[in-house]
Amino acid sequence: MTSALNGSPASRVAIITGGSRGVGGATVRRLAARGYVVVVNYLHDQRAAELIVEAVLTGNGDAMAVRADVADDLDVQRLFAETMTTFGGVDVVVHTARADTRAAFVVNQQAARHLRSGGAIVNLSSSVIINMLTQALALELGERDITVNAVSPAINRPCLPDRVADVIAYLLSDPGHRITGQIVRVPPY
């Protein structure tokens, strides 16, 4: 774990898997700018994760980086445990790492167990199975006022990470919190 805190109280805490680059990195920057405490999950590129944490801290946000393989049950349990110990809870999980079904299942399972009421899960998806998981969880977690959505960038066409991060940020906003169980397609460019 790489951790650095500016000391302000945690209001909304977000775990972003694959948060060191691409859509995950763009989402970290977007949520930190909106006042979220961000946990940057990475697997291989510790330096990239540290750089994004440093950028958040420079902007007076709170962040930490946690290495975890999102397809490994114990690693994901540790990711959530470290987040809850450091920041007191988890409100949002944005899963952008490893588009395989196992990783999505493991991350969503822990999110369902640990998210505070009123929270949200957003999965980056190009898979029918992940979309079905998203919709099933939306039904299951609705009674706790937890929204669950998937964002599906254009396949085989350029789609800027910032554009996808904008859609994710909207789903996490107050107006976006009314949307659940949806697969939001992001057009190219």
Side-chain angles (χ1 to χ4, degrees), residues 17-178:
T17 67
S20 64
R21 59 181 154 208
V23 171
T27 302
V28 166
R29 289 187 295 277
R30 190 77 75 252
L31 295 184
R34 292 181 177 207
Y36 279 83
V37 172
V38 290
V39 176
V40 179
N41 160 252
Y42 69 96
L43 181 58
H44 299 294
D45 198 345
Q46 180 177 351
R47 185 67 189 135
E50 289 172 347
L51 286 172
I52 201 160
V53 166
E54 288 172 19
V56 169
L57 296 172
T58 299
N60 293 319
D62 280 341
M64 75 176 184
V66 178
R67 184 190 179 284
D69 179 348
V70 294
D72 181 280
D73 292 314
L74 294 177
D75 262 12
V76 175
Q77 287 174 21
R78 182 181 47 75
L79 169 64
F80 276 80
E82 287 183 19
T83 300
M84 292 184 297
T85 298
T86 303
F87 297 118
V90 181
D91 300 288
V92 168
V93 173
V94 180
H95 178 57
T96 69
R98 289 177 69 166
D100 66 87
T101 307
R102 171 146 179 79
F105 178 77
V106 170
V107 170
N108 280 255
Q109 180 183 49
Q110 287 300 310
R113 288 180 180 156
H114 297 294
L115 278 180
R116 294 187 269 220
S117 294
I121 300 169
V122 180
N123 293 309
L124 193 65
S125 175
S126 59
S127 161
V128 172
I129 295 171
I130 294 174
N131 293 348
M132 290 173 27
L133 170 67
T134 297
Q135 292 170 326
L137 267 179
L139 291 172
E140 182 180 326
L141 299 177
E143 66 185 30
R144 290 174 41 206
D145 191 30
I146 294 173
T147 61
V148 186
N149 292 290
V151 173
S152 180
I155 299 173
N156 298 326
R157 300 196 54 205
C159 191
L160 298 173
D162 284 334
R163 187 171 188 161
V164 179
D166 286 340
V167 172
I168 292 169
Y170 178 78
L171 290 170
L172 301 176
S173 70
D174 287 340
H177 194 71
R178 290 179 280 225

